[in-house]
Amino acid sequence: PAERAARFLMMASFGPTRESLHGLTAVMTEAGVEHSIATWVENQMNHVPPTLHRAYWRKRVSPRVFPSALTGGARPVCEVGSRFHVYAFTKADIGKAVEATFDDAAGAYTLSVGGELRTEASVFVPEVLAPFLVCAVDERLGGDVKMGSDCKNKAAVATLANPAIHFARADADHVATVDESTHVFVELSSRSGPNPEV
């Protein structure tokens, strides 16, 4: 019965495990081959939850959610699998106004998008291009961010490197410090390992 059970499981599943092989062999020994196979198929069809690739994928990704194409849900900040970026500007900022104010004490520009504080930067586009609109964004640290007063006029657009999210002095109203003393960090690559629930 073990050989027949192994041959059947190789054809009817993604391959036998020791557990499935021993279980089916024991049932075949007691109830006979035909009845055991029929019972196994009925159990797989009606009582075992399907292992769907889409469900597996959705559980492990944290996609950006756009209204036109919902492929999953955004994860809350502290949930396993949530993700963060280190650059200040994203594609969601395209077409939005950037407010830049120079802070003499910090010796840097404070940059906000739509009233939301983003970062401090030591270099910013020339003030002659104000008001500043985000025209294009390369979403990576140091990627090109094009901004200026008129996105259709190349002469009115300047390019700067996408700055890191950085604050010389952390203001508790705007910045929350997160470190290993208060949170657990998990490498995204480890989620594909033997225990993806970590």
Side-chain angles (χ1 to χ4, degrees), residues 103-137:
D103 183 349
D104 290 321
Y109 290 92
T110 300
L111 305 179
S112 301
V113 178
E116 178 183 291
L117 185 63
R118 289 298 177 84
T119 190
E120 292 175 352
S122 58
V123 179
F124 193 60
V125 297
E127 291 185 17
V128 295
L129 298 177
F132 306 108
L133 293 176
V134 179
C135 302
V137 176

Side-chain angles (χ1 to χ4, degrees), residues 17-153:
T17 62
R18 291 184 192 276
E19 182 183 340
S20 66
L21 184 59
H22 292 310
L24 187 57
T25 301
V27 173
M28 281 184 170
T29 303
E30 290 177 18
V33 174
E34 298 297 323
H35 178 71
S36 301
I37 289 176
T39 302
W40 185 91
V41 170
E42 192 273 331
N43 183 54
Q44 292 293 310
M45 300 280 288
N46 300 319
H47 304 292
V48 176
T51 52
L52 303 174
H53 177 71
R54 175 166 275 187
Y56 178 89
W57 178 77
R58 282 186 173 170
K59 187 173 183 180
R60 288 161 175 78
V61 297
S62 179
R64 292 189 181 184
V65 181
F66 298 102
S68 61
L70 294 176
T71 56
R75 296 176 190 254
V77 173
C78 293
E79 185 177 317
V80 171
S82 60
R83 65 180 181 193
F84 303 88
H85 56 82
V86 296
Y87 45 86
F89 296 102
T90 68
K91 291 187 185 299
D93 299 327
I94 295 173
K96 294 182 181 176
V98 176
E99 299 89 39
T101 54
F102 189 75
D103 183 349
D104 290 321
Y109 290 92
T110 300
L111 305 179
S112 301
V113 178
E116 178 183 291
L117 185 63
R118 289 298 177 84
T119 190
E120 292 175 352
S122 58
V123 179
F124 193 60
V125 297
E127 291 185 17
V128 295
L129 298 177
F132 306 108
L133 293 176
V134 179
C135 302
V137 176
D138 182 6
E139 291 185 320
R140 62 186 172 90
L141 191 60
D144 287 347
V145 176
K146 296 184 185 299
M147 63 176 67
S149 57
D150 181 3
C151 293
K152 294 178 182 170
N153 180 359

